[in-house]
Amino acid sequence: MTDYILNLLTLIIIMSMITLCLNVIIGYIGYLHLGLVGIWAVGSYAYALMAVHGFPFFVAMLGGGIFAGAAGLLLGLPTLRLKSHYFGIASLGLMYIVYSLLLNLTDLTRGPLGIPGILRPTLFGISFSGPAMYFVLTLAVSLVVGFLLYRILKSPFGKILETIREDEIAAKALGKNTYAYKLQAFVLSSFFVGIISALSASYFQYISPTGFQVEQLIFFLAALMVGGAGSFWGGIVGAFVLLTIQELTRFIPLTPNAVGPVRTMIYALLLIFVMLYKPDGLMGKKMKVYQR
Amino acid sequence: MNVLQVQNLHKSFGGIHAIDHCSFSVEENSITGLIGPNGAGKTTMFDLINGLLTPDEGHVLIKNQNVTGWPTYKRARLGLSRTFQAIRVFPELTALENIVVAFKGHPSKLYQAFVPLKKKNRDLEKRAMEYMETVGIADKAHLRAGDLSYGQQKLLEIARCMATDADIFLLDEPAAGVNPTLLNTIKQLILKLHQQGKTLLIVEHNMPFLMSIAHKIIVMNFGKELAIGSPEEIQNNPRVLEAYLGKKREE
Amino acid sequence: MLEILPQVIWYSLIASAIYTLIAVGLTLVFGILEFINFAHGEMAMVGAYLLLAFLVNFKFPFWLAFILSFVAVAILGIVLEKLIFKKVRKSHPFKPLVISIGVSALLQAVVILIFGGGVTSYLQTGDQPAQTFEFFNGNLVITDHQILLIAVAFVLLIALALFLKFSKTGKSLRAVADNKEVAAIMGINVDRTISIIFGLGSALAAIGGMLIGGEQNLTPTMGLALNVHAFAALILGGVGNVYGALLGALIIGFSENFIIAFTPIPPSFREAIVFAILILMLIVKPNGLLGANAEAEVRK
């Protein structure tokens, strides 16, 4: 039972942190980031491949961050000049492109077979493979990432990101190079998704292309909207709520094949309902972007 | 000296010439009015001057620097600021924050998230309060900007322009939809900015208001400058009357 | 290499026809409500699966199953609009877009629950193989279904063009697309017109889905993939422009099939290719090939 709760808490922390990274883009600069899962996939594969090839944990983790950040840079450079919803479409493209690459670059990614045997690390002679120790490791890394993002979002830099969400044209007219801010925020968000990818990949100990598809995107979008975009705690609360609901669905007697679609249905309904009736979410502000 | 020059500027949207080879210049430390019937291209002209739109032909010069093709933010850093016809404050930020983010010295570099800024921020807020006092909405400093009244938002927008340290102000209909008291406040504010040596280019439909402050009026019609002169000259110009009353459409 | 050319052209034409049928509804909704309806492709998917259910499970005759399917999807489109999208009609485009992603995921999940997540096909074991016609020494093989597909698409698009141009409803449709407020003042029932657009667009998409279902296998994710193609077509052709959608669909259909046929890029990169074209297009020429002035619309 304790193991079960520890595992669940670890997963909640991991998913909260990824939702937080999504929040940086959707909630703060107001850009509809639909490429999150693609970035997550790049980070996860980068970490997993480095880990199974014997790189030390933190090096592989940094590798995940750098590759994910680079993917973010590649996507953001041309597309962050577009308006939010066009950016949304273009960024969704990243998910498809990454998915196709993962399936087809079989020499590197083993294609649909995925990468098994991603071990949890042993650091300073201590094994972090048990639920308790892995929870500690996840918490420690997440606290660092969370603290850094908190500082950044609450800083003047974060304020400028908010001005972009509120009115990008006005921000430009005040002399702000909004494109540069957007790009920095996007690369930053992608980098941290990559860092967290190390935690998620070694949590599941196995990754495959099917784990990086629309279902996952719906989860993160719903989590962010339920929690409230634009509030630092929004994504974190949302991921907590959604995963709790997901655990409760275990009590519904379902055939194994029905579990996935039923979950997706729940997330989708939540997403629709929240957007229609409570677009500021549980924690969010009443923001023009989502209200008008 | 001309701090702002528009040379043979042209912009069309799908075959419609919104701005049709238009030229004029604005002298340093002057109050210049830009008038014309609806659809004459005044706001498009502002968009071209501050870089939200790129012209098809012609040049924009700010302080004798050819800025055609420059992005908006670079023009702003050269000292050009602008208010908008439809107010564009940052509604979710407080009124005070709206001004703080406009400062040139706003420590908004990414690395600055990790250096101590307490004192600097306090200084910026103090300076921002001074601007709030100048425009007379200091008591609203900590309210959400979106919760301010229309007039207060207009004042906030002007204060925000002042905070950028700009010396050229493009004001898009500052007098539209405001009550007489506020109109007077805005007038005093404009005169004060002029006294401080600033240059103002004002799009306005309220003629008595504009005529009472402007040194020079530029009349636009069908995307072109129709007449340029002192308020008296413009008021007595038959072509201007014709354009406004729409007697005869000239091509 | 060259001997496969006729076949590739034929497949490109088929793909373009399907993409056009789906893009038409997408572009009309986009022109009027200014949001990207992610759920639009699901209309094609639902249509295809309904036809499967009616044909295979209920053993209805083809014509009845066909009509029932697209009528049902038209109603689904109208209900979704009335129930959900109408509520956010005046919102920032962000909101309806995110909601439509939710609707898309919801419909996919429902279909997976009913039909399973795997691939299925109209062709059941024991069915007669399609009748084929050969041209160019067997380098071009055409099935009877493909001819039907092209014919149906062609007739529908002609009918649509005539409807938009001459009928009273078609005129009010264009008026609403041009300016909702003015249309309302002129006495056009905007709510009704928008309902018609959703119904019409959904029905066309459903027909597109059913036709492609006869060519390929059905999967629950086919709608999203089709929507991506349709969206690329509408960006290429210029938003809100029905003829632009046709041109865009031709470009997408041809470039995709030619790239897959004549380059080493594997077919599973289909969506990736289309997205690459789309992203390139958004960056280079965001107002589309026929669009007049969407520059300010797409770029900040």
Side-chain angles (χ1 to χ4, degrees):
Chain A
M1 189 62 192
T2 347
D3 282 1
Y4 167 75
I5 290 181
L6 281 172
N7 274 328
L8 179 59
L9 281 177
T10 309
L11 184 64
I12 287 175
I13 294 172
I14 290 171
M15 296 311 229
S16 314
M17 295 317 289
I18 297 177
T19 317
L20 173 61
C21 293
L22 182 65
N23 197 3
V24 174
I25 308 304
I26 293 186
Y28 281 80
I29 63 177
Y31 264 57
L32 185 58
H33 180 15
L34 301 179
L36 176 78
V37 171
I39 304 273
W40 188 30
V42 171
S44 299
Y45 269 83
Y47 167 78
L49 288 171
M50 287 174 82
V52 296
H53 285 96
F55 282 88
F57 177 71
F58 283 113
V59 175
M61 177 182 257
L62 195 65
I66 289 169
F67 273 95
L73 183 68
L74 270 177
L75 174 67
L77 265 176
T79 58
L80 280 168
R81 288 189 195 277
L82 301 171
K83 273 190 181 176
S84 169
H85 44 296
Y86 291 93
F87 172 79
I89 299 292
S91 61
L92 182 72
L94 180 83
M95 189 175 81
Y96 274 95
I97 292 169
V98 169
Y99 180 76
S100 302
L101 288 174
L102 294 181
L103 274 184
N104 289 286
L105 298 178
T106 40
D107 293 344
L108 189 65
T109 64
R110 294 170 29 97
L113 298 175
I115 300 176
I118 306 163
L119 297 178
R120 294 181 182 181
T122 299
L123 302 164
F124 321 112
I126 307 163
S127 164
F128 283 90
S129 57
M133 288 315 281
Y134 196 68
F135 171 75
V136 170
L137 178 69
T138 303
L139 189 65
V141 173
S142 300
L143 280 176
V144 173
V145 171
F147 170 77
L148 292 176
L149 280 171
Y150 186 84
R151 277 302 293 246
I152 290 166
L153 292 174
K154 299 286 173 185
S155 76
F157 176 84
K159 259 312 154 214
I160 301 295
L161 299 188
E162 289 192 68
T163 68
I164 294 171
R165 176 194 69 212
E166 296 293 305
D167 197 326
E168 184 166 357
I169 288 177
K172 282 179 179 172
L174 293 176
K176 308 297 173 192
N177 184 356
T178 53
Y179 174 64
Y181 282 99
K182 285 187 281 188
L183 198 57
Q184 288 177 55
F186 197 64
V187 172
L188 202 72
S189 157
S190 303
F191 174 79
F192 282 124
V193 169
I195 295 288
I196 300 300
S197 297
L199 295 175
S200 61
S202 46
Y203 173 83
F204 296 115
Q205 304 185 8
Y206 166 70
I207 54 171
S208 76
T210 46
F212 303 101
Q213 285 180 298
V214 181
E215 287 99 300
Q216 286 74 24
L217 176 64
I218 294 289
F219 172 86
F220 291 117
L221 270 181
L224 181 58
M225 292 305 161
V226 168
S231 143
F232 180 81
W233 298 103
I236 295 168
V237 170
F240 182 84
V241 170
L242 252 69
L243 283 170
T244 311
I245 293 173
Q246 178 176 310
E247 286 311 304
L248 293 177
T249 60
R250 282 182 197 274
F251 296 106
I252 310 171
L254 289 171
T255 59
N257 281 338
V259 173
V262 166
R263 279 181 187 171
T264 308
M265 269 174 76
I266 293 171
Y267 302 149
L269 282 172
L270 264 175
L271 181 63
I272 297 168
F273 189 80
V274 167
M275 288 311 281
L276 281 180
Y277 300 107
K278 202 177 180 337
D280 45 333
L282 295 171
M283 309 289 294
K285 308 170 182 178
K286 285 204 171 357
M287 280 186 302
K288 190 173 91 180
V289 181
Y290 313 120
Q291 296 284 327
R292 201 168 12 114
Chain B
M1 190 190 110
N2 293 324
V3 287
L4 175 66
Q5 280 164 278
V6 170
Q7 296 174 343
N8 200 27
L9 214 57
H10 190 87
K11 176 79 184 174
S12 45
F13 297 111
I16 296 157
H17 305 299
I19 299 291
D20 193 0
H21 301 283
C22 185
S23 304
F24 61 78
S25 53
V26 176
E27 274 164 48
E28 189 170 9
N29 195 20
S30 70
I31 301 178
T32 307
L34 182 62
I35 65 170
N38 283 324
K42 303 180 297 287
T43 297
T44 309
M45 180 55 80
F46 269 19
D47 287 349
L48 288 166
I49 293 174
N50 91 326
L52 290 177
L53 293 172
T54 327
D56 304 330
E57 283 173 54
H59 302 282
V60 176
L61 276 73
I62 298 172
K63 297 178 182 172
N64 289 327
Q65 170 95 255
N66 188 345
V67 299
T68 320
W70 283 27
T72 301
Y73 76 92
K74 275 193 180 167
R75 303 186 194 204
R77 287 179 187 174
L78 210 57
L80 180 82
S81 73
R82 160 181 195 183
T83 67
F84 293 86
Q85 200 178 349
I87 300 173
R88 286 178 176 269
V89 296
F90 304 120
E92 279 301 320
L93 274 56
T94 67
L96 193 69
E97 284 171 340
N98 261 273
I99 298 188
V100 169
V101 295
F103 285 125
K104 271 188 177 151
H106 187 240
S108 57
K109 295 253 176 3
L110 184 51
Y111 77 88
Q112 285 170 315
F114 301 101
V115 296
L117 289 168
K118 275 235 164 64
K119 189 178 172 305
K120 179 149 185 130
N121 283 335
R122 218 176 303 131
D123 288 351
L124 288 179
E125 282 183 15
K126 221 177 109 206
R127 271 178 60 204
M129 274 313 278
E130 287 165 16
Y131 283 108
M132 301 283 288
E133 277 156 20
T134 311
V135 300
I137 49 170
D139 53 328
K140 305 283 189 280
H142 298 288
L143 292 182
R144 257 177 97 251
D147 289 341
L148 299 184
S149 73
Y150 179 76
Q152 288 160 349
Q153 292 191 21
K154 279 205 138 162
L155 292 170
L156 179 61
E157 216 187 1
I158 297 176
R160 204 174 59 178
C161 286
M162 292 161 66
T164 62
D165 262 344
D167 33 34
I168 308 168
F169 288 71
L170 310 180
L171 305 182
D172 201 344
E173 303 203 17
V178 301
N179 64 45
T181 325
L182 184 58
L183 189 62
N184 195 41
T185 313
I186 290 174
K187 184 171 168 177
Q188 297 311 320
L189 208 54
I190 292 172
L191 293 174
K192 192 169 179 177
L193 284 169
H194 173 245
Q195 270 172 14
Q196 290 171 358
K198 312 289 189 192
T199 308
L200 296 108
L201 179 63
I202 304 171
V203 164
E204 190 48 71
H205 283 296
N206 184 336
M207 289 307 144
F209 167 79
L210 191 63
M211 296 297 174
S212 70
I213 51 172
H215 307 133
K216 187 171 91 173
I217 303 277
I218 299 161
V219 187
M220 279 182 72
N221 197 22
F222 297 116
K224 253 179 143 74
E225 76 285 6
L226 178 72
I228 298 175
S230 70
E232 295 75 34
E233 286 164 10
I234 293 300
Q235 275 163 318
N236 298 319
N237 186 326
R239 294 178 65 202
V240 175
L241 286 172
E242 203 174 277
Y244 266 92
L245 300 174
K247 258 190 194 165
K248 195 177 76 193
R249 195 192 141 131
E250 52 170 19
E251 286 292 37
Chain C
M1 242 358 192
L2 212 60
E3 65 276 6
I4 62 170
L5 190 63
Q7 195 68 55
V8 175
I9 292 176
W10 180 242
Y11 284 147
S12 305
L13 275 175
I14 291 171
S16 307
I18 303 293
Y19 300 157
T20 312
L21 285 177
I22 294 158
V24 164
L26 197 65
T27 201
L28 282 175
V29 169
F30 195 96
I32 289 169
L33 301 176
E34 285 155 23
F35 87 89
I36 299 155
N37 186 0
F38 262 82
H40 185 68
E42 308 310 338
M43 300 297 123
M45 186 273 289
V46 172
Y49 272 90
L50 277 179
L51 184 67
L52 179 78
F54 288 138
L55 276 183
V56 176
N57 299 36
F58 296 106
K59 307 273 186 239
F60 285 173
F62 178 79
W63 62 270
L64 180 65
F66 187 81
I67 293 173
L68 278 178
S69 302
F70 82 73
V71 170
V73 174
I75 294 170
L76 174 66
I78 294 172
V79 168
L80 284 175
E81 197 276 326
K82 293 258 181 237
L83 218 60
I84 296 174
F85 294 118
K86 192 177 173 184
K87 292 197 169 69
V88 289
R89 201 180 282 168
K90 291 192 173 66
S91 305
H92 188 280
F94 186 96
K95 221 158 117 183
L97 203 164
V98 172
I99 289 174
S100 72
I101 296 175
V103 172
S104 160
L106 184 65
L107 290 173
Q108 275 186 39
V110 170
V111 167
I112 293 174
L113 274 181
I114 299 172
F115 296 93
V119 296
T120 36
S121 166
Y122 294 140
L123 281 180
Q124 300 299 304
T125 40
D127 280 0
Q128 288 211 335
Q131 197 180 343
T132 56
F133 309 95
E134 290 189 10
F135 301 93
F136 300 110
N137 307 323
N139 284 330
L140 174 62
V141 180
I142 292 175
T143 68
D144 52 354
H145 175 266
Q146 291 168 344
I147 295 171
L148 177 76
L149 184 157
I150 294 281
V152 169
F154 192 72
V155 169
L156 281 175
L157 291 172
I158 299 275
L160 180 77
L162 294 175
F163 168 76
L164 285 178
K165 194 149 175 65
F166 296 113
S167 77
K168 190 159 172 282
T169 320
K171 280 178 188 161
S172 55
L173 222 129
R174 283 187 293 145
V176 174
D178 201 36
N179 191 325
K180 276 198 287 292
E181 284 72 28
V182 174
I185 294 165
M186 301 295 285
I188 292 170
N189 187 338
V190 173
D191 279 354
R192 191 174 144 266
T193 312
I194 289 176
S195 284
I196 291 172
I197 287 170
F198 268 85
L200 190 72
S202 303
L204 288 175
I207 294 172
M210 290 186 265
L211 292 175
I212 195 79
E215 285 299 300
Q216 302 168 352
N217 290 326
L218 307 187
T219 66
T221 52
M222 66 186 271
L224 195 60
L226 285 170
N227 214 32
V228 166
H229 288 86
F231 187 74
L234 101 91
I235 287 289
L236 273 163
V239 291
N241 183 334
V242 175
Y243 303 103
L246 173 64
L247 177 68
L250 283 169
I251 295 175
I252 291 291
F254 272 83
S255 38
E256 166 196 47
N257 281 294
F258 271 70
I259 288 173
I260 286 167
F262 296 109
T263 67
I265 298 173
S268 54
F269 272 83
R270 224 168 251 279
E271 274 77 47
I273 292 170
V274 174
F275 265 117
I277 297 174
L278 174 59
I279 293 174
L280 211 69
M281 193 65 195
L282 280 171
I283 297 159
V284 181
K285 204 168 183 320
N287 41 349
L289 298 172
L290 294 186
N293 181 47
E295 179 187 342
E297 174 59 36
V298 180
R299 287 210 179 116
K300 277 256 179 176

